[in-house]
Amino acid sequence: MSQPSFPTISPPITRDDAINMILSSIAMEELGLSHVLNAEGEKLQYVLGTIPGISSPGATISDVLAVNDSVQDILKSAVQNQLFLNAKMQNALDSSVMQGPTGATGATGATGPSGGPTGATGATGATGAVGAAGAAGATGATGATGAAGPTGATGPAGATGSTGPTGATGITGATGATGAAGPTGDTGATGSVGPTGLAGSTGATGPAGAAGATGATGATGATGATGPTGPTGTNVTATTAFAANTSGSSISVIAVGTPVPLPNNQIIPADITVDGTNTIFTVNTAGRYRLSYHVNTTAALALSTRLIINGSPNTASTIAPLLSLSSFSNEILIALTVGTTITLQLFGLLGTAVLLGSSAGASLMIVRLS
């Protein structure tokens, strides 16, 4: 294998020039790295919407997580680069002094006459020309790896990312085998029969009278006058409204509550209205009302349900179970005024609830009794 050859550098550089160039390259790399870190910081500010005068486009959870991964990769690369630059600078500062080859020895002066005074020292000969550089020696063995530098200070903890969406519900395990039936308990003792009451005496049967002759059919009497109309009965339900969700909607539930849309099978009378989102029902006639609702999900979830009346949770309508459920239903009687708003709400779960599709996923009934 041939030896490496190096191009002639003109003008030649000194050892100090080479060290200065290495230190300058380290400084330029540090400057470039500072710009990269500053750019990552501004990227975080942009996604979080904290740059003054610049509005954020509304980053999603996926956007925030992607930016977080990008910043983490840059920080790891920056730490590795710092270790490399530190070793590079230390090696440059500790490098050995470069010396040129020794010039040729000048010619020896003539020997003076024997016994005579020592002659004057001859003038130093001119330094010989620098010999041609020898071929580069073989590369020496790599030196042992230096001790690791001290660990840098831990950077500040990043902001907690938003909670990711809830994973899909796992497949329901097979139903366990039915346990053997327990032994039949002993039959209890038969209670004592109470005393039979005394039978009453039978009355004497009277003699049958002789049958009389059938009389002639009388003439049909005149039709009587029509009686007055009775009072009108009380209507049990003065007003009835109904709405449901049968499309199998996926609802992203947050802890403070998420309304349930009810766009299907709506029966809405004139004195009850519903908004464009099909979540807020407004009562326009005061009275006593019966409110009932149902919610059915595709899997058992640790969530709760309730009715929001005039923007406030109704405690009597709330179902907050200790165990996960997939079916919720409740009803209340309540006096409502004109303009009262009613909303069916899911709350308490941070995740996604999927309503049953092509069936009663959710429903709300409003009945005015009086």
Side-chain angles (χ1 to χ4, degrees), residues 35-52 54-75 156-162:
H35 285 294
V36 172
L37 294 178
N38 183 65
E40 292 300 308
E42 291 183 349
K43 184 190 298 183
L44 280 175
Q45 286 182 300
Y46 179 72
V47 170
L48 298 176
T50 58
I51 298 180
I54 299 178
S55 60
S56 174
T60 64
I61 293 176
S62 297
D63 295 335
V64 174
L65 291 176
V67 171
N68 183 65
D69 290 340
S70 173
V71 173
Q72 188 176 29
D73 291 341
I74 290 298
L75 291 177
T160 302
S162 302

Side-chain angles (χ1 to χ4, degrees), residues 320-337:
L322 297 178
L323 300 177
S324 298
L325 296 178
S326 61
S327 181
F328 304 81
S329 62
N330 199 359
E331 66 178 11
I332 62 172
L333 290 178
I334 187 171
L336 303 179
T337 59

Side-chain angles (χ1 to χ4, degrees), residues 162-183:
S162 302
T163 303
T166 302
T169 303
I171 300 172
T172 303
T175 304
T178 304

